[in-house]
Amino acid sequence: MARPDLTVLAIPAFVGAMGAEYWWMHHKRPAAPDEDRPGDYELNDTIASLSMGIGSLIAPFVTGPLVRRLAPGSTRAGTALMAVGAAAAVVTTVGDVLRQRRAHGGELPEAGTLPSDAPQPTTVNSRVDALGLMTSGSAVAAVGSTAVAAASVWALQTSATRLAAISPFRQRKGAVPYLLAIAGWDFIYYWNHRTAHESRWMWAVHVVHHSSERYNLSTALRQPVADGFTLSAPYGVLALLGIPPRYIEDARALNLIYQFWIHTEAVRSIGWLEKVLNTPSHHRAHHGSQRQYLDINHGSILILWDKLFGTFEPEDERVRYGLTRNIDTFNPAVIATHEWRDIAKDIATAPTWSDRFGFLLRGPGWAYERREQLAPPSGAPVAAEHVSEPVAG
């Protein structure tokens, strides 16, 4: 019989704690008239957070089998995925070459030629537009299929079960390996969490958790549903070191359970433990959208990792929660997919392979700046690379 997931067993405690927090904030720390505090519960926001939490529990039953089916070399679906990606890459590259030729009078530019600063002519309904549309769709297909294939292979090759089978160390049981599993998971979590803020691919998954402009215990349950389609430092490496997979699963659960209680405004400080542990104060700063709070305090249980690797920032200015560009919706489908949609749009309009993969792999800040650089000036007509006659029909 399979052991129950500790996070599932903790659900009644989560619900009880949210009820206690709601009572405390309304009876012990009542808001002033017309005061809207981010720590208070707002019905639509809470429903959205709980919906994402439920979705995160269901998602692995869908994404797990899907990832296994899409691994190249393992199944026909995986082989087909790679074929689609390769074909889309060819179509996109051909489209890029043809657009370059049309932009230079039918000839490719000499190697080392820099773009002209002269304003480009405008056109509509041209063959260039048709090529742009073709390469937009194929570029998204190429980058997307490559990402899914890479994530599928990585997930299969780095699973705890597989790495435990090839470990040169005998699995050991007892308190020491159990504590090592918890500490090891916490260390790996720091790097994965940091990467989730520094790579847009990972951010597209993690942004779900940061999308609320509220900060209470329900926010802790606003979890992503697409974890299976990313690349991350493998927690399975702990199994390679001889730690039993069962301990690793418990470490994952305990790590998540610990993170629940730090999503609150009810607790301001826990004294000297602030120096060692991740606390509500440290995590409030992590959820801040002000510049000084961006990409800091990535630890889960221990804040020592942030202090060691230079990403610690104490809570100072009153935190403004949410994103630098809030999405203003409570729709779980939009919350879960809005960044993926934006990535697809950016890849579709990117002119080069460097930009296309940059929009997926580089940081969110770089992507937003690059998007603005590639956009036509405000109020200006859309410029094409070459004037051509409208396509007949």
Side-chain angles (χ1 to χ4, degrees):
M1 180 178 177
R3 296 174 66 248
D5 189 327
L6 296 180
T7 54
V8 175
L9 295 178
I11 289 176
F14 293 160
V15 175
M18 286 189 289
E21 182 186 41
Y22 179 87
W23 179 87
W24 176 265
M25 294 295 288
H26 282 75
H27 292 84
K28 296 297 184 179
R29 292 184 181 175
D34 299 324
E35 181 184 9
D36 185 22
R37 302 179 301 182
D40 290 332
Y41 285 78
E42 196 276 328
L43 181 60
N44 290 327
D45 179 83
T46 301
I47 291 175
S49 294
L50 296 180
S51 298
M52 296 308 302
I54 294 171
S56 71
L57 294 176
I58 298 174
F61 295 100
V62 178
T63 59
L66 192 58
V67 164
R68 289 190 291 271
R69 286 183 58 84
L70 292 177
S74 300
T75 65
R76 291 181 179 179
T79 302
L81 179 67
M82 287 301 297
V84 169
V90 170
V91 170
T92 304
T93 302
V94 170
D96 288 345
V97 171
L98 292 177
R99 284 190 293 109
Q100 285 291 316
R101 289 176 65 93
R102 294 187 67 82
H104 294 84
E107 300 290 338
L108 287 174
E110 294 293 331
T113 301
L114 296 175
S116 172
D117 291 331
Q120 297 292 328
T122 61
T123 185
V124 294
N125 297 327
S126 67
R127 290 183 176 86
V128 173
D129 295 333
L131 285 171
L133 289 174
M134 178 184 71
T135 56
S136 294
S138 60
V140 173
V143 174
S145 58
T146 301
V148 171
S152 298
V153 171
W154 185 251
L156 290 182
Q157 295 300 315
T158 61
S159 69
T161 302
R162 181 180 184 279
L163 294 181
I166 63 174
S167 172
F169 304 104
R170 182 171 61 87
Q171 290 186 12
R172 296 182 178 276
K173 298 181 180 180
V176 173
Y178 200 86
L179 292 175
L180 286 176
I182 295 173
W185 186 284
D186 202 58
F187 176 72
I188 296 172
Y189 177 90
Y190 167 82
W191 288 106
N192 283 334
H193 193 186
R194 180 171 176 171
T195 304
H197 283 257
E198 297 177 352
S199 169
R200 201 175 177 204
W201 184 1
M202 315 310 163
W203 175 244
V205 176
H206 185 59
V207 69
V208 168
H209 184 62
H210 284 264
S211 60
S212 176
E213 296 176 57
R214 301 276 172 173
Y215 192 79
N216 51 52
L217 292 177
S218 73
T219 308
L221 303 181
R222 186 178 287 223
Q223 294 293 320
V225 296
D227 283 342
F229 294 102
T230 59
L231 293 180
S232 59
Y235 296 101
V237 73
L238 298 173
L240 195 61
L241 299 176
I243 296 176
R246 171 179 173 177
Y247 289 4
I248 299 172
E249 280 297 307
D250 282 356
R252 177 196 67 83
L254 293 172
N255 195 277
L256 283 172
I257 291 170
Y258 181 88
Q259 290 181 61
F260 174 77
W261 83 275
I262 61 179
H263 291 81
T264 183
E265 290 225 325
V267 178
R268 303 311 302 177
S269 173
I270 60 171
W272 65 270
L273 288 173
E274 298 276 345
K275 298 178 181 180
V276 179
L277 299 176
N278 191 19
T279 66
S281 176
H282 299 328
H283 205 59
R284 283 193 293 269
H286 173 76
H287 273 257
S289 61
Q290 297 103 306
R291 180 171 294 277
Q292 70 267 32
Y293 292 147
L294 298 181
D295 304 335
I296 51 96
N297 299 359
H298 303 296
S300 176
I301 297 175
L302 299 175
I303 201 64
L304 295 176
W305 311 124
D306 290 279
K307 293 183 176 183
L308 181 62
F309 297 112
T311 52
F312 175 72
E313 182 71 27
E315 181 184 25
D316 184 13
E317 178 183 332
R318 185 68 176 174
V319 178
R320 183 175 64 252
Y321 302 107
L323 307 174
T324 55
R325 304 177 186 186
N326 287 309
I327 56 178
D328 299 323
T329 182
F330 300 114
N331 185 333
V334 176
I335 293 171
T337 62
H338 72 275
E339 189 69 18
W340 295 109
R341 178 200 62 202
D342 289 347
I343 289 174
K345 287 182 178 179
D346 289 337
I347 291 173
T349 57
T352 66
W353 282 114
S354 176
D355 280 332
R356 288 165 188 141
F357 278 99
F359 278 125
L360 178 70
L361 299 174
R362 298 187 68 170
W366 176 90
Y368 302 150
E369 291 180 2
R370 185 60 177 153
R371 180 195 300 163
E372 293 178 356
Q373 293 170 358
L374 294 175
S378 179
V382 177
E385 296 170 307
H386 180 74
V387 176
S388 61
E389 294 299 323
V391 179

